Amino acid sequence: MGCYDCCIRCLGAVPYPSLVSTLLCFTGMALFCGCGHEALAHTKVLVETYFARNIQDYVILASFIKYFQYVIYGLASFFFLYCILLLAEGFYTTSAVKQTFGEFRSTRCGRCLSLTFIIVTYVLAVIWLAVFAFTAIPVFFFFNMAQTCHNINILAETTPSINQHGWICMDARQYGLLPWNAMPGKACGMTLASICKTEEFFVTYDLYIAAFAGAGIALLALFLYVVATTYNYAVLRFLGRKGLRC
């Protein structure tokens, strides 16, 4: 067998859907974990600087941010190891289906392992769908905040009186970031417009967008994993029933 045939044989054993899914999963989790961690830290600074005067008003938010940052560390480690396992399972099933190894057979244990990966990945995809929806909340908040600041700037250019746009506010309590008894809990008028011009605001907004995009990429990777593993499992079952060598 020549070098060309060996290369074709090796390339034929590569599980390309699983490989693409792994790269997407690594990219998505890197964005979600890295940007999400930093966005939470910046959010704490924004809230304690502009929306809450008493530390007791945002102690729950601060505790949530602290513990969720530890959860992010765990998510990054878990998905890294799980994606490696799924990629290895993809190599196993692809080699079996494409008859890469002459003496290799798909065993009942191997098929059960593939089925387990399908179920676990499907459950993770459903859970991550909820995480993806949850990640949209801070993006929605900062988007509304940016639009509100834009409206204030337009009114400031057209009306010289401060009272004309002083009633336009952004209330963090409405989004569940602070309790209803938090003071002031909101920013109004030119105070809100000045917040939107700070570098802290723009950095936090961009980080949340990147984390939201990362969560979407990771969700896409999980669905691709489900499709790839389901297809390989179905082929293994078919070959097993026919009594063919895998």
Side-chain angles (χ1 to χ4, degrees):
M1 182 179 294
C3 180
Y4 176 78
D5 294 331
C6 289
C7 291
I8 295 300
R9 185 179 180 183
C10 291
L11 290 175
V14 175
Y16 292 104
S18 296
L19 183 61
V20 172
S21 300
T22 302
L23 294 177
L24 287 175
C25 188
F26 284 167
T27 303
M29 291 307 300
L31 283 174
F32 176 79
C33 294
C35 296
H37 182 277
E38 290 302 312
L40 289 173
H42 286 283
T43 300
K44 181 182 177 182
V45 174
L46 281 175
V47 170
E48 67 185 6
T49 303
Y50 300 105
F51 292 95
R53 296 171 183 168
N54 191 348
I55 188 173
Q56 297 298 324
D57 292 337
Y58 63 91
V59 64
I60 297 178
L61 177 65
S63 298
F64 171 79
I65 290 175
K66 176 183 176 181
Y67 290 117
F68 195 77
Q69 286 177 331
Y70 287 116
V71 171
I72 286 177
Y73 300 145
L75 283 175
S77 302
F78 170 78
F79 272 94
F80 176 78
L81 295 176
Y82 189 70
C83 289
I84 293 297
L85 289 176
L86 286 177
L87 182 61
E89 193 270 344
F91 273 102
Y92 160 75
T93 52
T94 303
S95 298
V97 171
K98 295 189 176 182
Q99 304 177 13
T100 303
F101 305 105
E103 299 300 324
F104 189 84
R105 292 177 180 272
S106 63
T107 61
R108 184 182 299 272
C109 180
R111 291 193 294 270
C112 290
L113 184 62
S114 297
L115 181 60
T116 302
F117 276 122
I118 293 172
I119 296 174
V120 173
T121 306
Y122 181 80
V123 173
L124 285 176
V126 174
I127 295 175
W128 198 254
L129 183 62
V131 175
F132 177 67
F134 177 78
T135 312
I137 296 177
V139 176
F140 179 69
F141 172 78
F142 279 90
F143 173 78
N144 284 344
M145 190 171 176
Q147 289 297 113
T148 304
C149 291
H150 178 69
N151 294 334
I152 292 175
N153 291 330
I154 293 177
L155 289 175
E157 294 176 356
T158 56
T159 56
S161 176
I162 299 179
N163 295 328
Q164 293 294 328
H165 46 77
W167 56 272
I168 302 179
C169 301
M170 195 68 190
D171 197 335
R173 296 169 295 187
Q174 293 181 343
Y175 295 87
L177 298 178
L178 295 172
W180 284 106
N181 59 351
M183 293 300 294
K186 61 182 180 179
C188 303
M190 297 308 297
T191 302
L192 177 60
S194 62
I195 297 175
C196 294
K197 294 178 181 179
T198 61
E199 183 180 357
E200 193 79 22
F201 172 80
F202 285 108
V203 170
T204 308
Y205 189 16
D206 292 339
L207 286 173
Y208 274 122
I209 292 176
F212 178 71
I217 294 173
L219 180 63
L220 175 62
L222 289 174
F223 280 124
L224 288 178
Y225 272 131
V226 171
V227 173
T229 52
T230 303
Y231 171 79
N232 288 333
Y233 173 77
V235 174
L236 288 176
R237 288 271 299 186
F238 173 77
L239 294 178
R241 288 178 181 178
K242 292 295 183 180
L244 299 177
R245 174 177 294 181
C246 297

